[in-house]
């Protein structure tokens, strides 16, 4: 049987100062009707470009290798005129993207955007198209499908936006759905719902799917076949079960191992140094309000009577969906958000009386690392200057010479003196995040607040960072407040877990208790939504791949 | 709803304060210029010093500035803008005759510029390598480098004096074209830059992935997204046309607000100057408010 989609020797290159830079190199695969191909790779592996190439939507600078062939049914898409290709987009092959908010037109109602797609591909009246749009919204699981079309994207949640994108992709009745990291920007519970939706749509419509993600667990829960890309080359491909249970390349073995390591706890991290039961952080009934919009709007309560304790050398995981208030707690601790009421005690010093201001000595002992390493480094400072800055701002004696603390700090995070003269833009995301961590550690803090610090990083680098923090914990008795939504990461590092939901802490217990026997329904929902890597599931069984995903 | 009302009230209060400030400033400035309306009349009509003094006292110009200002404010609040010192007719009548001319000139020029700018920006976005695309920069440089009165003088010289096609005075078409080109040049460049930038936006890629025709993408997706920039630039140009068409009106002898202001300043006709400035201030504030309102209508997202 001829494949629905047959890609041969796909090559993509970008012009670079010294010749062409090949970012996708002779990638070949085929996709049969109703099947799902998963493409896995870290950032820069060429997986997204591979997806865009199928629709011929590559960036203008990209050059296709002349040997490339993309055969869809009985035509080669690369031979088509632009006009013929246009008629295939949306009707033959449709695509959904990583960030639903950015992928929808912000100034047009979602109904209009879907109706436009319908009318592009089917000959029908505006009224009929609106009816069809409502049916698609219903199929995509959106509430109130008859009226939700009048809303604008910003009035919908992230999950609803992605559902709109899916409805829009289905508008032209495509055979193939290309999903490029469709759930990466979403919360874990929402991710599970969207993945379920995609699976059921695939079953109902007999869609073939190309599912692109950096997350091995997510891909394998969706795909019949997996292709692993690295630096634009295929390092491994085959049926999901085989690739997972017996990966051939060392790279894939590493990916699988990295993911599996996450499902266990890090080697017990009891502080070796004899630290007393010093309490690094204590919150009691802490409330934080944000001002509402407009002069008479009521303030919005972001954190509602939160109580936490964290001792030196321990790691506390603070989890919850976006908007649950977990980042606000982190900000309140370092003085970036002002609490409304309650008590906040840092190293035995209550802050409520001081107008929530941290003294310089406290600021030295209490540091924060933020989620986005791209925005956290001044682009005009070299790495060396960035690392010296804490000494200046905290009134410490700056280290002299390059053989000093600065280099030691860089080496601690797995970088070396060669980075000192570089600027942030010359570093990868992972390297930048490590610089941020090194900078936070310069003042030898006793408490480090990590706000989603690994979610922007690839799996292999996530580990290096987590292990580094664990070492600091044992070596220095560093207390870690680890804010995140990825439970796998939290399980790996945290001793205790606090679960937040709409501003309140609904559960606060040892990590194993929370993960194995969650008490609060919301904790249970979070844990059930976690994508897992389950290599024991048979790949050939028709619904084996569905069973791998625990949330049915 | 309460917050909306509060926002509106705050806006109105701020606007009123602004109008008051402008009025005070102009009141002081016109009196700081040497010579008053009586001096002008004295030169024109050969008045003796004592006659001039009597006239000053009759017109209330001998009172202190503060008294003059309070008197003017009180009558202005009642809707009376006073009488022209030189023409002895109510200032309001002069203004009402002039406003339609200025509005017609401004609206026609603005419409010309708007349509031209949008059309050129659309074509330039669709066909970046076409001749039209180079018009963006040519028009923009034209509007920066060539003052409208220079273009006006040359147009009079060429079309009226040398070719004899058009009457020198009272012609409407030439100033509209010159002002329209000027407006187009100011609007088209930022609009085109914005549209080029938006062409790489993720949601425009979505539109392409739907299989839409490029023309449809430019008109239906990129242009609406660029509407805030288009509106802001159009508002700026509109505000500048309310008072800034002065040179064009004077040059082509159009009896609009610009000409009125020009004559009033020359004749030190204080009530007329103040009335014209009051009109300009209110008009500019009104245009800005309308621009703001239009911005909110095209962009449903709450302000960040």
């Amino acid at each position: 049987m001829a494949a629905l989609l047959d890609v041969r020797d796909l090559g993509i290159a970008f012009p670079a100062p010294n010749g062409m830079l090949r970012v996708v190199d002779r990638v070949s695969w085929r996709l049969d009707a109703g099947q799902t191909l998963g493409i896995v790779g870290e950032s820069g592996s060429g997986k997204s470009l591979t997806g865009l190439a199928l629709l011929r939507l590559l960036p203008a600078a990209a050059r296709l290798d002349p040997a490339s062939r993309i055969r869809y049914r009985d035509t080669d898409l690369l031979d088509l005129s632009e006009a013929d290709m246009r008629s295939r987009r949306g009707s033959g092959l449709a695509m959904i993207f990583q960030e639903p908010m950015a992928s929808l037109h912000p100034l047009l109602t979602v109904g209009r955007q879907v109706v436009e797609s319908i009318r592009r591909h089917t000959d029908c009246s505006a009224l009929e198209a609106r009816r069809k749009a409502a049916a698609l919204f219903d199929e995509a699981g959106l509430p109130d499908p008859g009226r939700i079309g009048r809303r604008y994207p910003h009035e919908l949640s992230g999950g609803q936006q992605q559902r709109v994108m899916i409805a829009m992709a289905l508008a032209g009745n495509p055979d193939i759905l290309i999903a490029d990291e469709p759930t990466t920007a979403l919360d874990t519970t929402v991710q599970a719902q969207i993945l379920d939706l995609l699976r059921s749509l695939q079953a109902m419509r007999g869609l073939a799917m190309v599912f692109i993600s950096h997350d091995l667990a997510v891909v394998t829960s969706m795909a019949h076949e997996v292709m692993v890309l690295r630096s634009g080359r295929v390092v491994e491909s085959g049926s999901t079960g085989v690739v997972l249970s017996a990966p051939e390349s060392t790279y894939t073995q590493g990916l699988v191992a990295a993911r599996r390591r996450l499902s266990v706890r890090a080697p017990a991290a009891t502080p070796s140094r004899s630290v007393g039961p010093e309490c690094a952080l204590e919150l009691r009934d802490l409330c934080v309000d944000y001002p509402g919009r407009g002069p008479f709007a009521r303030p919005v309560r972001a954190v509602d009577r939160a109580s936490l304790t964290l001792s030196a050398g321990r790691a506390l995981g603070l989890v919850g969906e976006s908007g649950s208030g977990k980042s606000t707690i982190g900000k309140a601790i370092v003085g970036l958000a002002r609490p409304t009421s309650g008590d906040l005690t840092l190293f035995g010093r209550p802050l409520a009386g001081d107008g929530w201001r941290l003294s310089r000595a406290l600021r030295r002992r209490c540091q924060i690392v933020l989620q986005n390493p791209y925005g956290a480094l001044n682009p005009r400072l070299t790495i060396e200057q960035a690392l010296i800055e804490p000494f200046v701002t905290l009134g410490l004696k700056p280290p002299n010479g390059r053989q000093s603390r600065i280099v030691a700090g860089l080496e601690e995070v797995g970088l070396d003196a060669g980075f000192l003269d570089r600027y942030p833009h010359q570093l990868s995301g992972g390297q930048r995040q490590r610089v941020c961590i090194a900078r936070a550690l310069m003042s030898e803090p006793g408490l480090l607040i990590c706000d989603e610090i690994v979610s922007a990083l690839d799996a292999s680098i996530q580990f290096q960072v987590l292990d580094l923090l664990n070492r600091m914990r044992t070596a220095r008795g560093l207390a870690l407040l680890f804010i995140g939504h990825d439970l796998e990461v939290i399980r790996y590092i945290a001793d205790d877990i606090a679960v937040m939901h709409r501003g309140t802490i609904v559960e606060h217990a040892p990590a194993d208790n929370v993960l194995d026997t969650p008490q609060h329904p919301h904790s249970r929902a979070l844990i059930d939504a976690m994508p897992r890597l389950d290599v024991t599931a048979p790949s050939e069984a028709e619904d084996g791949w569905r069973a791998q995903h625990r949330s049915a | 709803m309460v917050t909306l009302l509060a926002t509106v009230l705050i806006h109105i209060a701020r606007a009123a304060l602004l109008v008051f400030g402008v009025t005070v400033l102009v009141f002081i400035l016109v009196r700081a210029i040497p010579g008053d309306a009586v001096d002008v009349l004295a030169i024109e009509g050969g008045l003796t010093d004592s006659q001039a003094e009597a006239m000053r006292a009759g017109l209330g110009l001998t009172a202190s500035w503060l008294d003059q200002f309070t008197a003017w404010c009180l009558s202005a609040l009642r809707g009376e803008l006073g009488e022209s010192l030189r023409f002895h007719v109510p200032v309001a009548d002069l203004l009402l005759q002039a406003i339609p001319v200025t509005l017609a000139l401004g609206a026609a020029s603005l419409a010309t510029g708007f349509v031209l700018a949008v059309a050129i920006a659309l074509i330039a976005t669709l066909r970046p390598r076409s001749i039209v695309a180079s018009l963006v920069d040519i028009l923009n440089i034209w509007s920066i480098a060539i003052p409208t009165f220079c273009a006006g003088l040359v147009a009079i010289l060429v079309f009226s004096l040398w070719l004899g096609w058009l009457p020198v005075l009272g012609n409407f078409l030439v100033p509209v074209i010159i002002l329209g080109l000027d407006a187009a040049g100011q609007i088209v460049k930022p609009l085109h830059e914005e549209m080029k930038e938006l062409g790489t936006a993720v949601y425009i890629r979505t539109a392409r992935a739907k299989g839409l025709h490029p023309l449809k993408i430019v008109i239906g997706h990129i242009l609406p997204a660029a509407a805030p920039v288009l509106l802001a630039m159009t508002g700026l140009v509109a505000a500048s046309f309310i008072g800034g068409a002065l040179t064009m009106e004077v040059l082509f002898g159009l009896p609009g607000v610009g000409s009125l202001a020009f004559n009033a300043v020359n004749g030190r006709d204080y009530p007329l100057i103040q009335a014209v400035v009051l009109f300009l201030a209110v008009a500019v504030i009104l245009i800005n408010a309308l621009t703001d309102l239009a911005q909110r209508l095209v962009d449903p997202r709450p302000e960040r």
Side-chain angles (χ1 to χ4, degrees), chain B residues 84-102:
Chain B
S84 162
L85 296 184
R86 295 179 68 207
F87 307 115
H88 306 294
V89 288
V91 164
D93 292 355
L94 291 172
L95 208 52
L96 285 178
Q97 282 166 16
I99 287 173
V101 177
T102 293

Side-chain angles (χ1 to χ4, degrees), chain A residues 104-176:
Chain A
L104 289 167
H105 198 297
L107 307 185
L108 305 178
T109 61
V110 295
R112 188 169 152 190
Q113 298 186 51
V114 174
V115 162
E116 184 181 47
S117 239
I118 295 168
R119 298 196 72 183
R120 165 69 179 88
H121 298 291
T122 45
D123 194 19
C124 66
S125 71
L127 192 73
E128 209 177 326
R130 272 207 293 281
R131 232 192 40 242
K132 283 188 180 172
L136 284 171
F137 286 143
D138 193 31
E139 193 177 349
L142 281 160
D144 199 4
R147 271 184 295 180
I148 200 161
R150 289 181 216 160
R151 305 260 209 107
Y152 288 93
H154 72 273
E155 297 172 318
L156 304 179
S157 70
Q160 289 173 334
Q161 288 166 357
Q162 195 60 289
R163 286 174 195 271
V164 169
M165 279 301 292
I166 291 170
M168 196 151 80
L170 297 178
N173 232 339
D175 307 311
I176 301 173

Side-chain angles (χ1 to χ4, degrees), chain B residues 33-287:
Chain B
I33 314 173
D36 59 16
V38 178
D39 289 331
V40 176
L41 289 175
I43 293 163
E44 286 172 356
L47 302 177
T48 65
D49 282 358
S50 57
Q51 279 173 313
E53 275 313 309
M55 195 174 206
R56 267 197 195 96
L59 291 172
L61 293 176
T62 47
S64 75
W65 283 12
L66 191 64
D67 289 342
Q68 288 186 44
F69 186 68
T70 6
W72 183 80
C73 280
L74 287 175
S75 54
L77 282 176
R78 282 197 307 271
E80 292 164 22
L81 292 170
E83 212 173 65
S84 162
L85 296 184
R86 295 179 68 207
F87 307 115
H88 306 294
V89 288
V91 164
D93 292 355
L94 291 172
L95 208 52
L96 285 178
Q97 282 166 16
I99 287 173
V101 177
T102 293
L103 283 188
L105 179 65
S109 310
L110 193 64
T112 311
F114 185 89
V115 171
L116 208 58
V118 170
I120 291 173
L122 276 180
I123 298 172
T125 311
L126 209 55
R127 298 254 180 281
R129 275 182 279 278
S130 64
I131 302 169
V132 179
S134 53
L135 270 183
V136 173
D137 283 325
I138 293 173
L139 260 185
N140 185 244
I141 291 170
W142 166 277
S143 74
I144 294 170
I146 317 262
T148 47
F149 67 85
C150 282
L153 281 176
V154 172
I156 290 174
L157 201 64
V158 173
F159 296 109
S160 303
L161 297 183
W162 293 353
L163 298 173
W165 290 352
L166 306 159
V168 178
L169 295 179
N171 182 28
F172 195 69
L173 189 68
V174 175
V176 164
I177 291 174
I178 291 171
L179 286 173
L181 283 175
D182 197 55
Q186 290 178 55
I187 298 171
V188 76
K189 181 74 178 170
L191 178 63
H192 180 239
E193 289 298 322
E194 177 77 1
M195 289 177 74
K196 258 198 321 201
E197 181 81 31
L198 286 167
T200 62
V202 179
Y203 55 87
I204 299 303
R205 183 180 65 188
T206 308
R208 302 215 323 253
K210 281 158 125 178
L212 298 180
H213 191 276
L215 185 65
K216 208 162 184 179
I217 294 177
V218 171
I219 294 177
H221 289 248
I222 297 183
L223 190 60
V229 169
L230 178 60
L231 285 173
M233 290 314 297
T234 308
L236 276 180
V237 172
S240 77
F241 276 177
I242 288 296
L246 187 143
T247 51
M248 282 287 115
E249 287 180 4
V250 174
L251 206 53
F252 288 87
L254 296 169
V257 177
S259 296
L260 197 63
F262 183 70
N263 290 329
V265 172
N266 272 346
R268 305 289 186 273
D269 197 342
Y270 299 156
L272 191 52
I273 297 175
Q274 276 154 220
V276 167
V277 169
L278 187 67
F279 163 75
L280 292 181
V282 170
V284 168
I285 286 168
L286 216 59
I287 288 171

